[in-house]
Amino acid sequence: GAGVSQTPSNKVTEKGKYVELRCDPISGHTALYWYRQSLGQGPEFLIYFQGTGAADDSGLPNDRFFAVRPEGSVSTLKIQRTERGDSAVYLCASSLWTGGKNEQFFGPGTRLTVL
Amino acid sequence: RKEVEQDPGPFNVPEGATVAFNCTYSNSASQSFFWYRQDCRKEPKLLMSVYSSGNEDGRFTAQLNRASQYISLLIRDSKLSDSATYLCVVMEYGNKLVFGAGTILRVKS
């Protein structure tokens, strides 16, 4: 079956612009997560959705970052007034939350470059 | 102190060698533990979950010591294809994954 997909795979933008990054989770997975990975580091948690609602957005760095998942499937991460420090790979993961181990499966990521 | 700490390596080993990676975590309330593998410019892929009793999957063995807050991964009979970055991962309350910075493994012929 299809894995997690993310679009675009690469995005180059200018400082101050607005960007949207899309994630399509594995079919049937109720939980969806966004992470950000900088060079030489492990991914860092941004936000987690259970269904349509954001269950934990404690990792969003500031109010320029926002994410939605209106129908409980596809999610969009939105970044306003981009800054050079936002450049990173943005990873999406999904899981079939059964109350057990909750293994998360990652998409290929969107590489964001802010010039 | 970082929440999850790993030796960054790189570990350079010959084919057929046995190699072990260690990891420590700071949050004693952490609930689940994993090893992920990440190839260059690719996404992390789940290698194995780690259970308290220790678990094995082919050439890979994972151990967890909750008292010492320590996780390990042992790879036996290393293959060239094992070359990658190995990420130690802890799940905290609320399903948030906390990643170490990764350990680089290079297997050479």
Side-chain angles (χ1 to χ4, degrees):
Chain A
V4 177
S5 62
Q6 292 186 246
T7 55
S9 55
N10 282 283
K11 176 71 178 178
V12 180
T13 191
E14 293 179 342
K15 181 174 178 293
K17 299 288 189 186
Y18 168 82
V19 296
E20 289 191 352
L21 312 179
R22 175 189 165 110
C23 172
D24 205 334
I26 293 171
S27 177
H29 278 194
T30 55
L32 184 147
Y33 312 80
W34 285 98
Y35 294 82
R36 175 167 77 170
Q37 187 172 23
S38 300
L39 195 62
Q41 301 297 318
E44 292 180 312
F45 171 80
L46 296 176
I47 186 170
Y48 150 54
F49 288 89
Q50 184 62 262
T52 59
D56 181 352
D57 64 358
S58 63
L60 294 177
N62 51 60
D63 62 6
R64 294 187 298 104
F65 289 75
F66 189 70
V68 295
R69 194 186 185 202
E71 297 177 359
S73 178
V74 171
S75 175
T76 304
L77 178 66
K78 309 180 182 202
I79 310 174
Q80 298 178 318
R81 304 183 305 279
T82 50
E83 298 177 357
R84 292 196 180 88
D86 298 335
S87 297
V89 176
Y90 288 80
L91 293 162
C92 177
S94 70
S95 71
L96 183 61
W97 173 235
T98 60
K101 196 154 275 285
N102 190 21
E103 294 171 344
Q104 297 181 21
F105 298 92
F106 284 80
T110 293
R111 185 173 299 274
L112 176 66
T113 303
V114 182
L115 301 176
Chain B
R1 184 185 169 192
K2 289 185 181 176
E3 292 183 69
V4 179
E5 298 213 46
Q6 297 182 248
D7 181 342
F11 285 61
N12 295 300
V13 303
E15 275 186 289
T18 295
V19 61
F21 304 138
N22 303 317
C23 163
T24 57
Y25 61 96
S26 60
N27 186 350
S28 59
S30 298
Q31 301 186 318
S32 302
F33 308 88
F34 308 89
W35 284 99
Y36 277 74
R37 170 201 168 122
Q38 187 169 30
D39 293 289
C40 189
R41 299 180 74 86
K42 299 287 190 181
E43 73 272 24
K45 287 192 184 331
L46 180 63
L47 180 64
M48 56 197 303
S49 301
V50 185
Y51 300 99
S52 295
S53 55
N55 48 301
E56 187 174 308
D57 183 1
R59 298 182 293 109
F60 299 84
T61 300
Q63 295 276 353
L64 167 65
N65 184 321
R66 281 189 187 268
S68 302
Q69 295 179 207
Y70 171 95
I71 307 162
S72 66
L73 177 69
L74 184 77
I75 305 175
R76 289 181 298 280
D77 188 23
S78 298
K79 311 289 185 195
L80 293 174
S81 57
D82 293 334
S83 297
T85 297
Y86 289 82
L87 297 162
C88 177
V89 186
V90 169
M91 178 177 286
E92 297 193 342
Y93 180 79
N95 305 314
K96 176 173 81 170
L97 293 183
V98 180
F99 286 78
T103 298
I104 297 170
L105 172 65
R106 297 185 186 135
V107 182
K108 311 231 180 219
S109 58

